[in-house]
Amino acid sequence: MLASVDACVARICGRAGPALRVAAPLGLGKPNVLLNAVYRRVAGDASLRLDLFTALSLARPQPASDLERRFVEPFLERHFGADYPDLLYVAAQKAGTLPANVRIHEFYMQSGAMLGVESAQRDYASMNYTHVARDLVDRGVNVIVQLIAAREEAGRIRYSLACNPDVTADLLERMHAAGAPRPYVVGVVHPDLPFVGNEAEVEAGFFDALLFDQANRHTLFALPRANIDPVEYAIGLHASALVRDGGTLQVGIGALSDALVHALLLRQRDNAAYRTALAAIGAQVGEGTPAARLGSLDGFATGLYGASEMVMDGFMHLARAGILRRRVYDDHALEQALEDGSIDDVLHAHAADALYACGALGPFIDKAELARLIRFGLLPEGTQLGFTALQLPDGGSLPLDLGNADARTQWNRALAGRTLREGYYLRGAFYLGSKEFYAWLRGLDGADFDGLSMTRVSDINQLYGGRESLDALQRRDARFFNTCMMATLLGAATSDALENGQVVSGVGGQYNFVAMAHALAGGRSILLLRATREHRGRTESNILWNYGHTTIPRHLRDIYVTEYGSADLRGKSDEDCILAMLAIADARFQDGLVAQAKAAGKLRHDFEIPPAWRGNTGKNIASALRQGELASQFPAFPFGSDFSPAELRLLPALARLKALSASKPKLAFFLLKSYLRPSRVADGEPLMARLNLNHPTTFAGKLTRRLVLAALAG
């Protein structure tokens, strides 16, 4: 064990030599304090070299203007605290001051954070999440550093990879199998990191060094809870109708995922309001539609199982609501019996007969079978294997041979009412979320704690590793929801980069889940996107005829969802795909898209856009969800907010000004109006004080004050 960061850096340099090839987890699992110390050590010594292999280097948002700075800086200080250690290499990359002896290789970037940053763009490594461990073997990694959780119980310290069991174990095993030297593995204990058991728990011997230093007890990176606008709500509503009760759910992060979760909660809690909302946005749910064929509008009687690369706030909300409750068991026979309906989690009065008939029990109980039955709760702890019978802890006995009806009658009585154990309601590869989410994780206990398992990305993101048939059973009726930036009429998706090669984020696990959806019976890949975007003061379509970069090729096309509905493309002809995508495109761009499709000979020349599609406008969506009783069902912050009341009042005004600033003529006209008709805002002075604009002395400050007041006045 090491007690100081400096001692750990010295140990790392002593073990790795002058060429440090360091691997660190994505997201929350980075030990920022230690990484910063290593970076400073290498940056100050030209004889050393650092190659860091990682992903998703989280950084606090940096304001792009004086007005943003006035709003953001006080919020960031309150939300992250004064002690949060920003990653030094991220700041150096953005400033263009990364030393020549330091290279940062990421396979996934914080969305949009590194656009135009040359070193980050050059050293980006495009790979699927599940292939990271394989590909790092050839890079000669000699150090692994990871933030971990610890828990002391009965005088013993337990350790957990907690937020990031995703790649570490796979990498170590692959390097061993390849005959490569074992990296120096450092576990950095963070006292506040939520502890997760099951597959994330490891022994102390897993690490070569354990660092206990209070310098690492900083505020954890927590994502501020986001707002959701009407367009995003509409996308969530359409998507939620594709989810089948008793199925499996994978979701990512962001406003679209939050909107989906909110819609699922509404579907369960107030089904009448849910159906009214679907009707209001014109959702097609009748016979033959994707919703009717693949999903449901009813509440959740059986519940869902979560199998997601990322575990985030949405799963917390679904678990609290009793939606995320279907448990899966790592036993093929039991899982098959559950899928067939032979048994339930609580065993019925004829469970032994049912389990025997489907091959999940007996025909003869030996030592291995007894251990299995105790493990999954069919028999109580303390049951002993005798020569002729099982001896139960209460003094009773059960026959070893279940081949006759009388024996099974005894077993029926013994099993009736017992609850299966070691079932998981949620599995993921890494977690990241809000402060509320971390508090929820810390508070899990009993069956709720036991039912959450963080595991390897090689398991959760694909179907391989020797348990494909079990995974397929567990992930029945899977709905893999991911987001993309753009889609083509022929079904290709752009999710990670622009056509000039600039990387926005990364492929991550998106390809894995798309491919898995095609491999699973009943599985579907569902890509969510807004139909339009604002770019430099102009509205542009996110549904295009073609685009110069593809993340998901059209031969893997499945389902797309925009605010205007769902397009099921699987197995359809090119023309049928075009028609389905046109139906969920914004009305302003349909004519141009039709002309391009016809010019390419992919759409019949006598086709005319149906009148109903002309109603695909954002204005109609906003109007539908803001009228009457529906308005209260779709608040801006459905899951609470990290902003103060004053900040919540300022946000819409600042968003309006940001949109106006994309067009200098529009901003100038808005400013002129503010001079001609000065704005009076109730309680305006406290809001100006929040931005430090209550008594501006400079011309720029006075101008900014006038603009904000005008934007507040509407």
Side-chain angles (χ1 to χ4, degrees):
M1 293 187 183
L2 299 171
S4 77
V5 171
D6 289 342
C8 191
V9 173
R11 185 74 62 86
I12 287 172
C13 292
R15 289 289 299 268
L20 281 72
R21 294 180 292 277
V22 180
L26 61 74
L28 188 62
K30 287 184 184 58
N32 288 21
V33 174
L34 178 59
L35 283 173
N36 284 346
V38 171
Y39 174 82
R40 282 192 294 265
R41 175 75 173 87
V42 175
D45 187 345
S47 68
L48 300 177
R49 178 177 178 81
L50 170 63
D51 284 272
L52 176 63
F53 303 94
T54 189
L56 194 58
S57 294
L58 297 169
R60 294 183 291 180
Q62 298 299 310
S65 66
D66 176 66
L67 181 56
E68 283 189 14
R69 178 189 61 77
R70 292 171 182 271
F71 181 84
V72 168
E73 285 185 351
F75 171 76
L76 293 180
E77 185 174 349
R78 184 180 75 241
H79 185 75
F80 289 95
D83 65 340
Y84 182 76
D86 287 304
L87 289 163
L88 296 178
Y89 68 81
V90 172
Q93 280 183 304
K94 291 183 176 181
T97 59
L98 201 65
N101 59 340
V102 176
R103 292 183 69 185
I104 311 298
H105 312 267
E106 296 204 67
F107 72 88
Y108 195 96
M109 300 176 184
Q110 197 168 357
S111 185
M114 292 299 176
L115 285 172
V117 180
E118 291 190 4
S119 66
Q121 292 292 330
R122 289 196 303 268
D123 288 331
Y124 167 77
S126 185
M127 61 181 76
N128 294 321
Y129 198 178
T130 52
H131 297 158
V132 170
R134 178 201 68 188
D135 294 344
L136 285 185
V137 171
D138 296 331
R139 306 306 293 268
V141 169
N142 52 23
V143 179
I144 297 175
V145 297
Q146 178 157 353
L147 209 65
I148 65 172
R151 172 180 289 183
E152 186 171 359
E153 292 182 357
R156 170 178 171 262
I157 300 180
R158 298 167 59 189
Y159 298 97
S160 171
L161 298 178
C163 55
N164 284 89
D166 45 352
V167 173
T168 307
D170 277 340
L171 175 57
L172 289 172
E173 290 179 5
R174 283 182 171 273
M175 293 189 76
H176 176 75
R182 173 185 164 87
Y184 187 62
V185 183
V186 181
V188 180
V189 176
H190 191 299
D192 300 324
L193 187 66
F195 187 100
V196 178
N198 295 315
E199 292 138 300
E201 190 165 352
V202 294
E203 297 296 327
F206 182 87
F207 306 99
D208 297 296
L210 286 162
L211 175 58
F212 291 81
D213 186 339
Q214 286 300 310
N216 295 300
R217 189 167 199 163
H218 54 76
T219 302
L220 291 170
F221 192 100
L223 298 169
R225 289 171 290 186
N227 66 301
I228 304 176
D229 66 27
V231 164
E232 292 158 344
Y233 270 128
I235 293 171
L237 283 164
H238 287 300
S240 68
L242 301 172
V243 178
R244 183 172 290 173
D245 186 24
T248 303
L249 185 67
Q250 186 268 335
V251 292
I253 198 165
L256 295 184
S257 296
D258 288 348
L260 166 62
V261 169
H262 178 78
L264 293 173
L265 293 171
L266 185 62
R267 174 175 156 182
Q268 179 79 346
R269 292 170 174 167
D270 191 341
N271 197 257
Y274 172 72
R275 291 170 182 262
T276 300
L278 284 171
I281 62 172
Q284 301 298 308
V285 296
E287 184 176 353
T289 64
R293 291 185 292 106
L294 305 173
S296 172
L297 306 187
D298 297 330
F300 296 91
T302 301
L304 302 176
Y305 162 60
S308 185
E309 149 184 306
M310 181 179 186
V311 174
M312 33 60 84
D313 286 51
F315 288 109
M316 168 185 71
H317 297 301
L318 293 172
R320 285 172 169 171
I323 296 174
L324 193 72
R325 70 172 183 273
R326 180 173 75 83
R327 291 180 180 255
V328 303
Y329 302 87
D330 285 347
D331 183 278
H332 193 281
L334 282 179
E335 196 61 39
Q336 186 68 62
L338 286 162
E339 184 187 31
D340 295 343
S342 300
I343 60 168
D344 297 312
D345 293 290
V346 178
L347 299 177
H348 54 66
H350 303 286
D353 286 325
L355 290 168
Y356 180 83
C358 69
L361 178 64
F364 191 82
I365 308 301
D366 58 14
K367 184 177 179 180
E369 180 69 358
L370 174 59
R372 169 179 171 265
L373 297 177
I374 292 174
R375 175 189 174 188
F376 292 106
L378 283 81
L379 291 175
E381 296 281 355
T383 301
Q384 300 290 322
L385 181 66
F387 287 110
T388 59
L390 290 178
Q391 304 301 318
L392 301 176
D394 64 1
S397 64
L398 288 172
L400 299 179
D401 189 348
L402 284 81
N404 64 79
D406 289 340
R408 292 195 296 276
T409 298
Q410 296 180 57
W411 274 82
N412 281 331
R413 289 195 293 268
L415 297 186
R418 294 195 64 82
T419 301
L420 296 180
R421 295 191 318 182
E422 292 210 11
Y424 302 122
Y425 61 87
L426 176 58
R427 267 197 174 111
F430 75 98
Y431 67 67
L432 177 65
S434 68
K435 292 181 179 180
E436 181 188 4
F437 173 65
Y438 299 153
W440 175 73
L441 288 174
R442 293 187 197 99
L444 292 177
D445 59 10
D448 292 334
F449 176 83
D450 294 336
L452 168 62
S453 180
M454 304 301 297
T455 188
R456 305 177 187 211
V457 72
S458 59
D459 173 26
I460 205 69
N461 277 34
Q462 263 297 2
L463 297 173
Y464 52 49
R467 47 173 289 158
E468 294 88 342
S469 59
L470 177 59
D471 285 340
L473 272 175
Q474 294 176 341
R475 300 172 194 177
R476 49 188 172 268
D477 289 326
R479 300 293 180 264
F480 301 121
F481 291 96
N482 289 282
T483 60
C484 62
M485 299 186 296
M486 292 170 278
T488 70
L489 287 184
L490 293 172
T494 298
S495 309
D496 66 317
L498 305 178
E499 59 185 348
N500 66 357
Q502 285 276 309
V503 179
V504 176
S505 54
V507 177
Q510 185 169 115
Y511 167 79
N512 297 133
F513 285 107
V514 172
M516 184 162 38
H518 283 274
L520 285 170
R524 301 305 296 261
S525 162
I526 304 164
L527 294 180
L528 312 177
L529 76 159
R530 298 178 65 116
T532 63
R533 67 183 181 277
E534 297 301 315
H535 181 61
R536 295 180 179 176
R538 297 176 53 194
T539 301
E540 298 180 357
S541 179
N542 284 329
I543 296 179
L544 311 171
W545 170 244
N546 202 9
Y547 191 71
H549 173 77
T550 294
T551 309
I552 303 300
R554 65 175 179 158
H555 69 267
L556 289 176
R557 57 196 181 197
D558 204 341
I559 298 175
Y560 285 94
V561 176
T562 73
E563 59 266 36
Y564 306 122
S566 304
D568 184 359
L569 311 184
R570 183 183 283 192
K572 292 185 176 177
S573 68
D574 279 358
E575 183 174 48
D576 286 341
C577 286
I578 291 168
L579 294 173
M581 292 297 286
L582 284 170
I584 63 170
D586 191 280
R588 290 167 288 183
F589 302 97
Q590 290 169 356
D591 289 320
L593 291 169
V594 166
Q596 288 177 292
K598 287 182 177 179
K602 288 287 187 175
L603 187 62
R604 59 186 183 274
H605 289 283
D606 63 348
F607 171 79
E608 294 184 3
I609 296 172
W613 297 3
R614 298 295 190 183
N616 288 2
T617 68
K619 182 178 180 181
N620 286 345
I621 293 294
S623 176
L625 294 181
R626 285 174 174 162
Q627 289 183 356
E629 295 182 1
L630 278 182
S632 64
Q633 299 286 356
F634 300 98
F637 289 87
F639 302 121
S641 172
D642 297 295
F643 296 108
S644 68
E647 289 165 347
L648 288 173
R649 283 197 62 192
L650 285 166
L651 277 171
L654 299 184
R656 185 182 182 191
L657 288 176
K658 186 173 183 178
L660 285 169
S661 67
S663 170
K664 291 182 179 179
K666 289 182 180 179
L667 183 63
F669 181 69
F670 183 77
L671 179 60
L672 178 62
K673 285 201 309 181
S674 75
Y675 274 97
L676 295 175
R677 289 183 293 176
S679 303
R680 291 180 174 84
V681 179
D683 300 323
E685 286 309 311
L687 300 181
M688 293 302 98
R690 167 59 183 81
L691 298 174
N692 196 23
L693 286 172
N694 45 342
H695 300 293
T697 57
T698 66
F699 174 76
K702 292 175 182 179
L703 186 65
T704 300
R705 174 187 168 93
R706 182 175 291 275
L707 284 170
V708 174
L709 286 171
L712 282 167

